[in-house]
Amino acid sequence: IGQALALGSFAWAVSVGGDSATRRLRTLVEDDPGELAYERGYFLEETFVKIIPKYPLGAGMARWGQMYAYFGDRSSSPPIYVEIQVTGWILDGGIPLAVIYYIALVMATWVAWRLATRIPLGEPLWILAAVVVAYNLGAVAISFGYPIFMSQQGMELWLLNAVLFSAYRIRQRSLEEQARARQSRAEAA
């Protein structure tokens, strides 16, 4: 089924995109994989080699993206191109912001992991915890290739974590109330 789905999807893409779709696929296969990977890695290298030394504590707000388009001072500062999330954090708040944000992501993932390992398998909340762990790990990985926290996906990450943490707390309160009720019934008997 998977192969048929992949073949059908490719046929659909070619019918919609025409020759440009096949040319793009051909470049992925013909080009050196190392060169292709370096195209993405270049942005991370540029961040560490050029941007961090120039702006270790940030370049100030409204230096890239939509904030620059709306509020940037075009007369004194040119826009800075941001292709990956790390670069955006470095420009907005420098090394401290990037470190703090990654610490927040690690902590959120760690808490979600702890919940996923504490909740009994098969419970709906366990499934949510496992999904949140996977989503968090994916977001961390994507942050090195795309400014994910400037999009809906970044908002979804924090929303999913908040839902998980709140649902776990509600579950814990419910279990505590059930335990108190059982204890009251046992004392009454």
Side-chain angles (χ1 to χ4, degrees), residues 47-103:
T47 299
F48 281 97
V49 172
K50 294 180 181 174
I51 294 178
I52 288 177
K54 191 172 183 179
Y55 306 109
L57 296 176
M61 302 301 273
R63 292 297 304 275
W64 65 281
Q66 284 303 117
M67 291 298 109
Y68 180 83
Y70 294 140
F71 307 111
D73 182 7
R74 289 172 181 76
S75 64
S76 66
S77 61
I80 301 172
Y81 185 69
V82 171
E83 182 72 21
I84 62 175
Q85 187 64 58
V86 179
T87 308
W89 287 333
I90 294 296
L91 291 173
D92 284 345
I95 296 168
L97 178 64
V99 168
I100 288 169
Y101 217 105
Y102 276 115
I103 288 172

Side-chain angles (χ1 to χ4, degrees), residues 85-149:
Q85 187 64 58
V86 179
T87 308
W89 287 333
I90 294 296
L91 291 173
D92 284 345
I95 296 168
L97 178 64
V99 168
I100 288 169
Y101 217 105
Y102 276 115
I103 288 172
L105 287 169
V106 167
M107 289 176 62
T109 305
W110 179 72
V111 170
W113 174 261
R114 286 191 57 192
L115 297 183
T117 57
R118 287 183 174 183
I119 299 169
L121 292 177
E123 274 193 34
L125 196 54
W126 173 83
I127 295 168
L128 175 62
V131 167
V132 169
V133 168
Y135 199 94
N136 289 358
L137 292 173
V140 168
I142 289 172
S143 73
F144 292 100
Y146 168 74
I148 185 171
F149 292 97

